Amino acid sequence: MGGALDMDSLNPTILTLILLAPLAGALTVALFPEKLARWIALLAALLTFLLTLHLPAHYIPTPGGFQFVQDIPWIANPTIHYHVGIDGLSLWLVVLTGLLAPVGVLASWKTIDTRPKNFYSLFLLQQVAMLGVFVSLDLMLYYGFWELSLVPMAILIAMYGRTKSENAGPRAAVRFFLYTFIPSAPLLVAILWLYAIRGSFDFSTLRIAIAAGQIPINGLFWASLAFLLAFAVKVPVLGLHGWLPDTFSEAPVAMAMVVAGKLGLYSLIRFHVGLFPAQAYHVAPWLIALAAIGILYGALLALVQKDFWKLLAYATISSLSFCTLGIYGFTLAGVDGSVFQTLNEGVIGAALFVLLGVLYDRFGTSQISIYGGLAGKTPSLATLFVISSLAMIGLPLLNGFVGEFLVLSSTFTGVSHGWAITATIGVILSAAYMLTLVQKIFYGLESQEVITASNSAPIPDLNVREKLILWPLAILMLVMGVAPNLWLAAIEPGIQGGTSLSARPFPDCNAPHVKCRVVLRAIFLSGGQR
């Protein structure tokens, strides 16, 4: 009982401790010698992950409020609070970010051999920013973390660009920064406009004011559009994805695995649909169309790529488009599937980035044609690559199946048969490009490069460090596929959290062949505080 009480006593400050752990690690890495940088970073990342595990252990999956809330006045004028908290929507994203921190450090252990202090301190600072985005309940605090997340990423892409071509890393960094920074300016203007009308940056206060009609309806359209643009670029939604292929090609593995999807998708659900449900509903048909076309577009381009980083970039566009499709279908099952698919993308994407990074480190190229016949020489690598690929294409019993099934079934019954069929074709194409990639790298004829490399020295299979990264991720793919309710039990109440939906949430969304036409005034948000 004493131990339980001691752990419960952390609840009021646990989110602050989660933010402070990587921040302290970043500062410590910067102060200590280079040779200790990776060890300090690993300890800070492991501590962060352990602290995030406190959240699901003590979270109560019920609709109607944020938990682990801490609200401290920070700046008097304008009124900005250090206001943090989580619900079922943000819970597992915080845990996922904590999990990817040690994965990123271990994946970079041997590949980052120049200026490791710079790399690991910026990497940990990036973790602080991502965690801050997921827990912030004050819009200015949120905006600060949102902007902070852009800076370490851009610097690390510029400093540690993967390819050897001149200025490739800096060019990719500039493109990433401009694509993601410029839309943030209208976002800031929209946040300040809301403050000027209501006198508060508090998320719940603004949500209630908008639902009650206390903010001019004409201005809400433009504010919602500013929010949408900033978040859609970060997802990225089709048409705003120009930064992603070069970023995947140049970013270090540890950064590439976190650059796309999670921040943008969470923000779409929480702050676009959450604050502006009526406006989000009106633009939903356009976003559904972009999502369904994006699924096909990403899959078709992935199918013809000759570089595996570019293939993974377009595959990610296709995969994340499923999430957008589920969000703007306005069905409970669809949004459940979107959040679950966001988690899947984090786990599967991390594994694939590490695996492709291993191949790149061994052979120094990302050209698929260079590889062939590696299964007999690297059996562990081949096994884990196959598992990750099957999870990505949605094989039943693995986690990718659950998210795709929820999104596709809800789209078919609650949105549009045509768009559901279009998205299903994308699933078929994903199997084509991933299985083709597996066949070419591992089970085709041995390429001359592989023969030459194996004659000079045995091609190394996965080492202990790499197995420590990958096997837990593979096991997690299976557990999430077999027992998804361990995650959905918290996600669904978080989505239903608006008090106006508590008695009768999404009443007609799950009826066959019925389009959901409910304008959700408090969707995905918690009505009070715990």
Side-chain angles (χ1 to χ4, degrees):
M1 286 294 293
L5 290 174
D6 290 341
M7 294 305 294
D8 287 339
S9 67
L10 290 177
N11 287 354
T13 58
I14 185 62
L15 295 180
T16 299
L17 293 174
I18 289 171
L19 291 173
L20 288 177
L23 179 60
L27 294 174
T28 307
V29 166
L31 294 174
F32 277 72
E34 296 270 3
K35 61 183 180 180
L36 297 177
R38 57 174 58 92
W39 288 104
I40 296 171
L42 180 59
L43 289 174
L46 288 172
L47 176 60
T48 303
F49 178 48
L50 290 174
L51 287 171
T52 64
L53 293 179
H54 178 92
L55 302 178
H58 294 78
Y59 183 80
I60 302 171
T62 55
F66 292 103
Q67 300 181 33
F68 310 106
V69 171
Q70 192 170 11
D71 187 358
I72 301 172
W74 181 17
I75 299 175
N77 190 19
T79 306
I80 302 175
H81 285 222
Y82 174 76
H83 187 189
V84 295
I86 63 163
D87 61 1
L89 174 59
S90 50
L91 167 66
W92 290 112
L93 290 168
V94 172
V95 177
L96 174 64
T97 305
L99 170 64
L100 295 182
V103 169
V105 173
L106 289 171
S108 309
W109 201 264
K110 294 295 184 182
T111 58
I112 303 299
D113 51 8
T114 59
R115 294 172 292 183
K117 287 176 64 170
N118 294 342
F119 178 85
Y120 289 111
S121 58
L122 287 170
F123 172 77
L124 290 172
L125 188 61
Q126 175 77 14
Q127 301 304 307
V128 176
M130 292 183 64
L131 291 165
V133 166
F134 293 136
V135 303
S136 294
L137 298 178
D138 181 283
L139 287 188
M140 276 309 292
L141 182 67
Y142 165 83
Y143 183 80
F145 283 120
W146 175 266
E147 290 294 273
L148 179 61
S149 71
L150 309 181
V151 178
M153 180 69 71
I155 294 173
L156 288 174
I157 294 171
M159 290 177 62
Y160 298 91
R162 187 181 291 111
T163 62
K164 305 303 180 185
S165 57
E166 185 178 0
N167 293 326
R171 281 199 304 269
V174 169
R175 176 173 290 189
F176 164 78
F177 187 79
L178 292 178
Y179 258 91
T180 52
F181 177 74
I182 291 174
S184 296
L187 173 64
L188 177 60
V189 172
I191 291 173
L192 293 175
W193 178 78
L194 290 172
Y195 177 82
I197 298 295
R198 193 65 183 85
S200 175
F201 291 115
D202 182 72
F203 170 72
S204 296
T205 300
L206 290 172
R207 176 185 63 81
I208 293 169
I210 292 171
Q214 298 173 0
I215 296 181
I217 191 70
N218 293 334
L220 281 178
F221 170 77
W222 295 107
S224 69
L225 196 62
F227 275 65
L228 174 61
L229 178 63
F231 305 150
V233 169
K234 196 73 177 212
V235 172
V237 170
L238 179 65
L240 302 171
H241 64 280
W243 58 272
L244 190 64
D246 285 344
T247 300
F248 272 28
S249 296
E250 293 299 325
V253 167
M255 305 307 291
M257 68 176 65
V258 301
V259 69
K262 291 171 282 297
L263 296 182
L265 290 166
Y266 165 80
S267 298
L268 282 176
I269 300 171
R270 173 74 77 206
F271 295 106
H272 182 238
V273 178
L275 277 178
F276 312 102
Q279 289 74 23
Y281 178 76
H282 287 304
V283 300
W286 297 98
L287 288 163
I288 289 170
L290 285 174
I293 297 169
I295 292 169
L296 279 184
Y297 171 85
L300 288 170
L301 283 182
L303 197 58
V304 298
Q305 294 303 309
K306 298 179 180 180
D307 179 292
F308 57 56
W309 296 123
K310 295 289 179 67
L311 185 151
L312 189 55
Y314 289 111
T316 300
I317 293 171
S318 183
S319 177
L320 294 176
S321 294
F322 273 99
C323 302
T324 307
L325 180 62
I327 292 169
Y328 288 95
F330 282 84
T331 67
L332 180 58
V335 185
D336 279 350
S338 295
V339 178
F340 197 82
Q341 189 70 358
T342 304
L343 301 177
N344 293 339
E345 187 273 333
V347 174
I348 300 169
L352 286 172
F353 270 112
V354 173
L355 289 161
L356 293 176
V358 168
L359 289 172
Y360 189 86
D361 292 340
R362 303 287 198 269
F363 291 91
T365 181
S366 56
Q367 293 300 305
I368 299 170
S369 60
I370 297 299
Y371 299 90
L374 285 179
K377 300 180 183 301
T378 57
S380 295
L381 177 60
T383 299
L384 284 159
F385 202 102
V386 169
I387 293 172
S388 302
S389 299
L390 292 176
M392 186 168 187
I393 66 179
L395 183 75
L397 298 183
L398 294 174
N399 56 343
F401 173 77
V402 178
E404 288 183 355
F405 176 79
L406 288 171
V407 171
L408 288 173
S409 62
S410 65
T411 302
F412 190 85
T413 60
V415 181
S416 164
H417 293 182
W419 290 132
I421 293 169
T422 302
T424 303
I425 295 172
V427 175
I428 298 170
L429 291 174
S430 72
Y433 63 71
M434 286 308 299
L435 295 179
T436 299
L437 180 65
V438 169
Q439 191 274 333
K440 287 182 177 179
I441 293 178
F442 294 101
Y443 297 103
L445 294 175
E446 288 189 6
S447 66
Q448 187 58 49
E449 288 80 0
V450 171
I451 294 172
T452 303
S454 59
N455 286 338
S456 59
I459 298 174
D461 201 357
L462 295 177
N463 57 37
V464 174
R465 173 180 56 84
E466 291 159 347
K467 289 179 180 177
L468 283 174
I469 299 171
L470 291 164
W471 275 114
L473 293 176
I475 293 170
L476 186 56
M477 294 174 205
L478 178 61
V479 174
M480 292 178 72
V482 173
N485 283 338
L486 293 175
W487 287 263
L488 292 173
I491 292 171
E492 188 165 308
I495 293 170
Q496 291 178 290
T499 54
S500 64
L501 298 173
S502 299
R504 200 165 59 93
F506 297 90
D508 55 359
C509 287
N510 295 318
H513 315 303
V514 176
K515 184 173 182 178
C516 179
R517 299 188 180 279
V518 180
V519 178
L520 305 172
R521 293 190 176 276
I523 187 176
F524 312 132
L525 310 170
S526 300
Q529 294 182 357
R530 192 176 298 276

